[in-house]
Amino acid sequence: MRIEKILSEFDGLGLEIAVIVPEGNPKGVIQFSHGMAEHKERYYDFMNYLSDHGYVCVIHDHRGHGGSVEKAEDYGFFYTENEQAIIEDLHTVTKYIKHIYSGLPVFLFSHSMGTLVARGYLKRYDSEIDKVVLCGPPTYNAAAGLGLLLARLSKPFIKEKAPNKMLNAMAFSQFNAGNSIPNGWLSENQANVAQYNQDPKCGFIFTTNGFVNLLRLQKAAFEKRNWHVSNPHLPILVIAGEEDPVIRSRKRFEQLIAFLSELGYTNISSKLYEHMRHEILNEEKKLDVYKDILLFYDEFQHTTSYSQV
């Protein structure tokens, strides 16, 4: 594994990335877009699994997360209210991948908030990737507009880099109903939840600025305007835990798939996993999920030769 810093083409923010390279000739590159209030290291187990099966894996910390901050106290702060920044960061990493691993197919894996970033990415760059997984995707939420209004109204009363506890409570207070420990909604695997709660780089509360970005991403993900489908046959896999509060319900999950189809994507598959919550990559039966995702990526046939710059 190697750790590097590259600069966002949006504003020059340093983005910390991790790269895991398999032995022998790789089959492709899998780029990751992680979720809210976590960091790239939480994906290393899955990345090692994919690398063992022939894939280069590349992940970066989103701005305001992990190593992609100017100061440690900037967690949850995005340095801009333009939600295109985090999308362009993802594209910056794609360009880095294509420079180093020219000729290999590039697949995208996204989780939770990372699927909102990925969907914003698809609006402009769906021809630059060969497959995409949307894992634990937020579904349509009509309250996103109200959340944006409240974010703007709260600005004068909360310091720029202070956590916005009001917006956080509005967004997530219902998720943990019925759970005996904080963030129990993340996983049925209580050891995973405990590890998350003990991790200083996880579970932080977004600033107002962070919530503005999140809510704008949420709204944009369900706006058909400006969505330029140039790769209608792009294989898309949509997966989630059946008990994941982020998808809200099976009906909303199916509506998301219908929305993607209405946009013009014709190659969509999906699966809900029984007895799993939001972080299906960290459940006790995670290997079942690993295998399904690997199968989805492996079904891609590619013959272009690979050259490393």
Side-chain angles (χ1 to χ4, degrees), residues 100-129:
I100 297 179
Y101 302 103
S102 174
L104 283 178
V106 179
F107 303 146
L108 182 60
F109 177 88
S110 59
H111 173 67
S112 195
M113 181 193 76
T115 75
L116 297 177
V117 181
R119 282 177 265 176
Y121 180 105
L122 291 182
K123 282 191 170 189
R124 298 180 61 185
Y125 305 118
D126 68 0
S127 62
E128 296 201 27
I129 53 173

Side-chain angles (χ1 to χ4, degrees), residues 32 114 160:
F32 286 73
E160 184 181 47

Side-chain angles (χ1 to χ4, degrees), residues 17-36:
I17 66 172
V19 182
I20 299 178
V21 180
E23 295 182 3
N25 292 323
K27 296 185 284 188
V29 183
I30 300 173
Q31 180 180 357
F32 286 73
S33 177
H34 71 71
M36 176 181 183

Side-chain angles (χ1 to χ4, degrees), residues 5 25 29 44 65 92 113 124-125 154 167 177 221 237 252 288:
K5 271 281 182 93
N25 292 323
V29 183
Y44 285 178
H65 295 73
T92 295
M113 181 193 76
R124 298 180 61 185
Y125 305 118
S154 67
L167 290 176
L237 174 63
R252 292 295 181 99
D288 293 341

Side-chain angles (χ1 to χ4, degrees), residues 259-304:
F259 174 80
L260 293 170
S261 179
E262 290 166 7
L263 287 171
Y265 294 110
T266 61
N267 193 0
I268 305 170
S269 53
S270 65
K271 183 171 182 177
L272 285 173
Y273 291 86
E274 293 183 351
H275 309 300
M276 292 192 187
R277 298 180 185 174
H278 187 51
E279 293 193 344
I280 60 177
L281 293 183
N282 294 321
E283 295 288 23
E284 291 183 2
K285 294 186 177 181
K286 64 183 181 183
L287 192 58
D288 293 341
V289 183
Y290 284 16
K291 290 177 179 177
D292 286 344
I293 297 170
L294 176 64
L295 178 62
F296 172 72
Y297 289 142
D298 273 350
E299 287 174 345
F300 183 88
Q301 298 298 316
H302 187 79
T303 58
T304 303

Side-chain angles (χ1 to χ4, degrees), residues 59-125:
I59 187 169
H60 74 288
D61 286 316
H62 287 307
R63 57 179 54 228
H65 295 73
S68 297
V69 291
E70 293 178 357
K71 304 174 188 175
E73 55 266 34
D74 289 355
Y75 282 174
F77 182 71
F78 283 33
Y79 305 100
T80 176
E81 288 193 354
N82 186 342
E83 79 285 356
Q84 293 303 310
I86 195 171
I87 295 168
E88 291 304 318
D89 292 347
L90 195 65
H91 188 235
T92 295
V93 178
T94 302
K95 292 171 75 173
Y96 162 90
I97 289 169
K98 292 193 172 188
H99 174 70
I100 297 179
Y101 302 103
S102 174
L104 283 178
V106 179
F107 303 146
L108 182 60
F109 177 88
S110 59
H111 173 67
S112 195
M113 181 193 76
T115 75
L116 297 177
V117 181
R119 282 177 265 176
Y121 180 105
L122 291 182
K123 282 191 170 189
R124 298 180 61 185
Y125 305 118

Side-chain angles (χ1 to χ4, degrees), residues 11 14 19 66 80 88 108 127 139 148 153 166 178 187 196 218 228 285 288:
D11 59 5
V19 182
T80 176
E88 291 304 318
L108 182 60
S127 62
T139 55
L148 274 172
L153 292 174
M166 177 194 71
S187 175
Y196 178 91
Q218 171 75 37
H228 306 291
K285 294 186 177 181
D288 293 341

